[in-house]
């Protein structure tokens, strides 16, 4: 599961969710931020970085955070 947010923002959101639910949830399958680091910041560039990451996952490229060793 991916989250479109910075690591700082997603960390705050997950902490808030845990506090509101009054329990610790398991987010081991959650990673942030979604998308490859391309340096872009416009909506189009962010969409491209997400599409690129999906392509990496689809073709099971090595040396990527989704690679299963």
């Amino acid at each position: 599961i991916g989250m479109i947010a910075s690591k700082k923002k997603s960390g705050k959101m997950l902490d808030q969710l845990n506090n509101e639910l009054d329990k610790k949830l398991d987010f081991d399958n959650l990673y942030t931020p979604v998308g490859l680091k391309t340096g872009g910041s416009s909506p189009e560039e962010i969409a491209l970085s997400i599409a690129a990451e999906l392509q990496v996952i689809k073709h099971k490229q090595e040396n990527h955070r989704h690679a299963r060793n």
Side-chain angles (χ1 to χ4, degrees), residues 28-55:
D28 288 341
N29 291 328
L30 179 71
Y31 61 91
T32 61
V34 68
L36 299 179
K37 292 181 181 180
T38 60
S41 59
S42 72
E44 296 84 2
E45 293 167 325
I46 293 168
L48 179 62
S49 74
I50 293 169
E53 186 168 29
L54 291 172
Q55 188 76 2

Side-chain angles (χ1 to χ4, degrees), residues 15-42:
D15 287 343
Q16 182 180 359
L17 182 59
N18 279 328
N19 288 335
E20 288 177 10
L21 296 175
D22 198 30
K23 66 179 182 177
K24 184 70 174 161
L25 299 175
D26 180 14
F27 291 110
D28 288 341
N29 291 328
L30 179 71
Y31 61 91
T32 61
V34 68
L36 299 179
K37 292 181 181 180
T38 60
S41 59
S42 72

